[in-house]
């Protein structure tokens, strides 16, 4: 009986074809909500020789368990570093379910390190095989110019660091990411002209709004220290250490800072930028050391910045 291998399946290489002749391949297609047609990729995997192909709809999971912590750390942009640990989780789960002792992937560069670090943290007993990717010209196609279009004004409401409404309409975190991807994407937010854009435009817009709201809701000393923590958090995630004890500890600290990060931010999306034009915190900072403290609530109108 051939060895069973679980492959993290992507759309740009012939990794499946290379493995299918040497092992029973279970292909895992993870959809984090970045577009494309995951179901078509699953069907191609079956047609290409996989004994089974699993499609994991991870759109809500990606937003709630990966994008939200990154947003609170003001590191949701770039978002590409968040996909590798998410895929690693699903691949390890599939390996356990299908009795595989080896997982394979066709990632390269930093994504290879992040994926392999994720597997090592979750399942150090599993062997990891990297199948060298073929170069896909589509991965380097230009995204074209950003057309000016009309400005789009959007008001984001946050409750303790979590987006809960867009223009007064209640949203979940997954809904906020999808809606801002659509609206900010039209304006070219988060896009680098001339190269393929991997980052979510919604992530860029949300991070801009969240960071500016923190400026008026966090104590200055706490804010300065949190900015240092954010840099360390971002470095850990960039290096593939999503599951590390230090990153988890920093998550706990960041979560405690968000208890007063509530309010509204007005953004204008236009010409590739998300510009804050107003913000209103639900609470003002306490007057530390003077006893009485200042009023806790700001005026109802979003103040211009």
């Amino acid at each position: 009986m051939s060895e069973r291998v679980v492959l993290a399946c992507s759309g740009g290489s012939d990794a499946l074809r290379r493995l299918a002749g040497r092992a029973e391949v279970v292909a895992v297609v993870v959809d984090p909500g970045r577009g494309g047609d995951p179901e078509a990729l699953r069907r191609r995997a079956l047609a290409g020789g996989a004994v089974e192909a699993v499609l994991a709809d991870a759109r809500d999971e990606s937003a709630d368990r990966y994008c939200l912590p990154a947003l609170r750390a003001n590191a949701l942009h770039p978002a590409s570093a968040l996909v590798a640990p998410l895929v690693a989780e699903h691949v390890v789960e599939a390996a356990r379910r299908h009795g595989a002792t080896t997982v394979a992937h066709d990632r390269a560069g930093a994504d290879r390190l992040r994926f392999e670090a994720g597997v090592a943290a979750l399942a150090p007993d599993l062997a990891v095989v990297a199948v060298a990717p073929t170069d896909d010209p589509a991965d380097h196609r230009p995204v074209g110019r950003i057309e000016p279009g009309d400005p789009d004004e959007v008001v984001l409401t946050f409750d303790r660091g979590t987006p809960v409404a867009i223009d007064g309409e209640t949203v979940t975190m997954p809904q906020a990411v999808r809606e801002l991807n659509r609206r900010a994407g039209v304006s070219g937010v988060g896009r680098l002209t001339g190269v393929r854009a991997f980052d979510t435009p919604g992530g860029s817009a949300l991070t801009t709004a969240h960071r500016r709201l923190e400026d008026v809701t966090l104590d200055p000393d706490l804010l300065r220290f949190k900015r240092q923590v954010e840099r360390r958090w971002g470095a850990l995630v960039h290096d593939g250490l999503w599951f590390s004890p230090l990153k988890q500890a920093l998550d706990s600290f960041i979560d405690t800072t968000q208890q007063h990060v509530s309010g509204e931010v007005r953004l204008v999306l236009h010409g590739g930028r998300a510009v804050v034009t107003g913000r209103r915190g639900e609470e003002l900072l306490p007057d530390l050391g003077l006893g009485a403290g200042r009023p806790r609530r700001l005026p109802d109108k979003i103040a211009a910045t």
Side-chain angles (χ1 to χ4, degrees), residues 11-303:
S13 78
D14 60 354
L16 176 60
R17 179 179 58 78
R18 296 187 190 186
L19 289 172
R22 311 197 311 261
E24 292 184 351
V25 180
V26 176
V28 177
V29 179
V30 180
D31 177 15
R34 298 176 68 180
D37 188 349
E39 175 57 33
L41 182 57
R42 188 191 73 83
R43 292 194 299 267
R44 286 201 301 272
L46 287 172
V51 296
E52 187 168 345
V54 179
L55 173 58
D57 185 346
R59 291 173 294 178
D60 288 357
E61 178 186 6
S62 174
D64 287 329
R65 295 186 54 234
Y66 287 85
C67 291
L68 181 57
L71 173 62
R72 289 177 166 178
N74 291 312
L76 187 48
H77 176 78
S80 57
L82 307 180
V83 176
L86 171 65
V87 174
E89 278 198 291
H90 282 275
V91 168
V92 167
E93 179 185 356
R96 299 302 192 209
R97 186 166 64 251
H98 293 278
T101 58
T102 301
V103 299
H105 68 94
D106 61 358
R107 284 156 174 78
D111 279 344
R112 171 180 177 171
L113 297 178
R114 293 168 187 148
F115 176 82
E116 293 184 355
V119 173
L122 295 169
D125 58 302
L126 292 178
V128 181
V129 174
V131 182
T134 58
D135 190 37
D136 184 356
D139 286 338
H140 308 288
R141 64 181 181 270
V143 296
R145 294 183 55 195
I146 299 171
E147 297 299 329
D150 296 324
D152 181 11
E153 184 175 278
V154 57
V155 176
L156 304 179
T157 304
F158 289 84
D159 179 32
R160 288 167 290 183
T162 300
V164 294
I166 297 177
D167 293 334
E169 296 292 329
T170 300
V171 293
T172 63
M173 180 63 184
Q175 289 170 338
V177 171
R178 288 194 283 268
E179 178 65 7
L180 267 297
N181 275 344
R182 182 184 68 81
R183 292 177 66 172
V186 169
S187 298
V189 175
R191 179 186 299 173
L192 299 176
T193 304
V195 297
R196 187 177 180 184
F198 288 95
D199 302 322
T200 58
S204 181
L206 284 167
T207 300
T208 297
H210 178 265
R211 186 180 180 94
R212 294 297 299 277
L213 184 60
E214 283 189 328
D215 289 343
V216 295
T217 55
L218 293 185
D219 170 79
D221 284 340
L222 178 60
L223 182 63
R224 281 191 292 270
F225 187 74
K226 181 176 184 289
R227 295 294 181 250
Q228 297 177 40
V229 170
E230 291 170 1
R231 289 191 289 273
R232 185 68 176 118
W233 191 99
L236 289 170
V237 174
H238 179 271
D239 292 341
L241 300 178
W242 180 271
F243 302 106
S244 70
L246 176 57
K247 185 265 182 185
Q248 294 173 12
L250 296 184
D251 278 335
S252 297
F253 166 77
I254 290 171
D255 285 345
T256 65
T257 69
Q258 300 299 291
Q259 57 182 321
H260 296 304
V261 184
S262 299
E264 295 182 337
V265 179
R266 183 174 61 236
L267 288 173
V268 172
L269 310 172
H270 186 233
R273 300 178 63 202
V275 178
V276 175
T277 58
R279 54 191 171 173
R280 177 179 64 82
E282 287 296 324
E283 299 181 354
L284 282 175
L285 300 173
D287 192 1
L288 299 176
L290 299 181
R294 294 175 288 175
R296 297 293 294 179
R297 187 172 179 84
L298 284 174
D300 289 337
K301 184 177 180 181
I302 300 179

